[in-house]
């Protein structure tokens, strides 16, 4: 899960995936998958397999959850990914989630 602002979008031809570049604002649970969290203000590339969904708008801020790509650097954002516009009220909720320990078994 991360919060970020869309800096650029490229949709590409219909048979090719598109890309979005986000400026990272926060990562509530850094390192959860053994992958270091990007620093605040860092940019992150998101692969968009579907040209139309999720519907992202340049300049807008979102809370989103995707999957790491094969290279471990880019995120894959499938059409069924969790993507919601960010609202300031969510910041406290995300901060509370970051403090909760994981109860799952490895």
């Amino acid at each position: 899960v991360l919060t970020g602002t869309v800096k650029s979008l490229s949709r590409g031809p219909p048979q090719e995936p598109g890309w979005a570049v986000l400026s990272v604002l926060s990562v509530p649970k850094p390192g959860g998958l053994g992958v270091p969290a990007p620093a605040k203000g860092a940019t992150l590339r998101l692969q968009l397999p579907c040209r139309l969904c999720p519907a992202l708008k340049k300049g807008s801020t979102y809370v989103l959850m995707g999957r790491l790509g094969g290279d471990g650097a880019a995120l894959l954002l499938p059409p069924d990914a969790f993507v919601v516009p960010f609202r300031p009220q969510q910041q406290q909720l995300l901060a509370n989630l970051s403090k909760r320990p994981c109860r799952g078994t490895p």
Side-chain angles (χ1 to χ4, degrees), residues 9-11 15-22 44-51 53-54 56 66-71 73-79 81:
L9 289 168
S10 64
R11 295 292 180 179
Q15 66 277 14
E16 304 254 339
W19 292 90
V21 176
L22 266 69
L44 187 65
R45 281 183 53 152
L46 301 175
Q47 185 180 11
L48 308 170
C50 176
R51 292 175 49 94
C53 51
L56 299 176
R67 293 189 311 247
L68 282 175
D71 62 359
L75 280 175
L76 176 64
L77 203 60

Side-chain angles (χ1 to χ4, degrees), residues 73-99:
L75 280 175
L76 176 64
L77 203 60
D80 60 347
F82 177 80
V83 177
V84 294
F86 175 76
R87 296 188 321 263
Q89 300 91 328
Q90 295 167 329
Q91 190 60 39
Q92 184 61 42
L93 175 66
L94 292 171
N96 289 342
L97 285 174
S98 70
K99 296 174 188 173

Side-chain angles (χ1 to χ4, degrees), residues 4-42:
T5 302
V6 178
K7 294 297 180 189
S8 66
L9 289 168
S10 64
R11 295 292 180 179
Q15 66 277 14
E16 304 254 339
W19 292 90
V21 176
L22 266 69
S23 174
V24 177
L25 298 176
S26 68
V27 180
K29 287 266 194 190
L33 297 173
V35 178
K40 183 177 179 177

